Every structure is written in C-alpha cells, then in structure tokens.
Amino acid sequence: MNNSNNDLLPLWYKEGDYPLFPIRQADADMLLFNIVWDVAVSSGYLDFVRSVTIRNFNPINSLKDISCLLIFPGDEPTTKYTLPKLCMPYFVGIYGIDPPVFDDLDDDEYPSLYYCFCPEWAFDGSGEIIYNNEGGGGYDVPSFQNNGAELKQAIRSLLDFLQQHPVEIGSWRERLSLSLQMLDTHANRFHILHNAGLYDIDALWTLLLDAGLAGRELLKVSTQMTHQLHRFTMLAVNTADK
C-alpha cells in the first residue's frame, strides 16, 4: 500500500463514549485490520464471498447451516488445528454441512470447516486483498467464550511490566489504562480492541526491544497479551449480530 508514515488508520467503526487513540498505518497490521472489517460488516457467508476476491473457489450451493468466522488457529482454545492451518496467523473459515444428495440430513451431522480462506496482499501493488481457498479439514465449529477477565489480567500484567521499566513508549500506558476502563464498563468491543493494540501491538514490542528490554519476562507478557487480544477479537467479530 502506498501510504506515508504519518497516514492514520481509516476507521470503519464510529467513536463512542471513549476516545480512540490515533494509529499510524505504518505501525498497523493492515491486512488484519481489513480482514476484521471484511468479516465484521458482512451479513453472512454469501455477502462475504461476493464482496472479496477468492482464488481456487467453487462454491457448493447446497451447503447448509453456514457460518463465516474469523479464526486465529494458534489462539483458538476449543480446536486442535494441524499443519498447515496451525501455521496461518489467521484465516476466514466457512463452516457448514453438505447434505447428502438423496437422504435427509442426519440428526447427528454438525457443521464443520468446509472452506479456509487465507488472505494475502495482491502482488501487483494495488493494495487489494486476495483470499486463497486452502480447503476445509473437518474441524468442528469453535465456541467463543467471553475472555474479558483474562484480557484485563493480561493488560494489568503488561502495565506492571511497564511500571517496572519506565522507558519512553508514547501513549501506550494511557491506551492500556483506558482499555481496562472500557472492559469494566463493557464498551464497544471493537473500540476496546483498537485502544488495546490489536492492530499495532507489535509497535509497542519494538519500542521495548529497542529500549533493551528483551528477555523472558517481556516474552511472557507479550505472548499473554497477544493471545488474549486474538481471543477477544474472535469473540467480537464472530458473535456480532449479522
């Protein structure tokens, strides 16, 4: 994407009762930002596949009980993914049942992963996202539990770490403290994710590494924080009303 270092994230969600800290596109995972948007604003499977570009995709029109879900396979706790899906940072999963041609649906049949859309930037520099269909695999539909308490604990641990190591990190302390307040008051989940660093948390880790704070303690708090952010993202995106 042809953006200057000072271009800010163009928000698709409106501000609410809490301020949203500005995020530079240069600091953000723009692929993830756009994928969250693609899934969150779609009204379902058909709306999603009609609005994006997908390679290697021949839709099965008979698919029933369809769900379109954003999955972080390394952070989704109810399913044990195997390679190569486990190596994907995130994908859009289409879950459904392909009914038998002649028989009625078996009462014991449940939706499973039918399509796995793995995103990447187009190679032509257009800034377009291409989804590659990597096939299913029979994984069951995950369940998404509210991990708000766990995310708060991860933020508190990170704030404790930052208090013990008072280095210059811009507005991150304010952002994280505000995110705690937002979680306590059950604010808009997409707003919480914005301020808590879903899209640009790597910029904070870079600041801390540049300050010489590499080590086991930073690895522990950063891993915990990223894990809980991804779980909260799946909750926010996949349980939103479509």
Side-chain angles (χ1 to χ4, degrees), residues 64-86:
K64 304 295 184 182
D65 295 342
I66 307 173
S67 299
C68 178
L69 305 175
L70 173 61
I71 303 295
F72 294 82
D75 300 294
E76 195 280 290
T78 67
T79 306
K80 292 184 178 180
Y81 296 91
T82 57
L83 299 175
K85 290 178 177 58
L86 188 59

Side-chain angles (χ1 to χ4, degrees), residues 34-47:
N34 282 282
I35 294 162
V36 169
W37 184 88
D38 283 343
V39 180
V41 305
S42 71
S43 60
Y45 160 68
L46 289 178
D47 190 28

Side-chain angles (χ1 to χ4, degrees), residues 29 32 36 70-77 81 85-86 88-91 144 198 226-227 229-234 237-238:
D29 183 340
L32 176 58
V36 169
L70 173 61
I71 303 295
F72 294 82
D75 300 294
E76 195 280 290
Y81 296 91
K85 290 178 177 58
L86 188 59
M88 299 176 186
Y90 35 73
F91 64 79
F144 304 103
L198 172 65
T226 302
H227 173 69
L229 278 174
H230 290 171
R231 286 189 60 194
F232 199 77
T233 302
M234 288 186 283
V237 174
N238 298 327

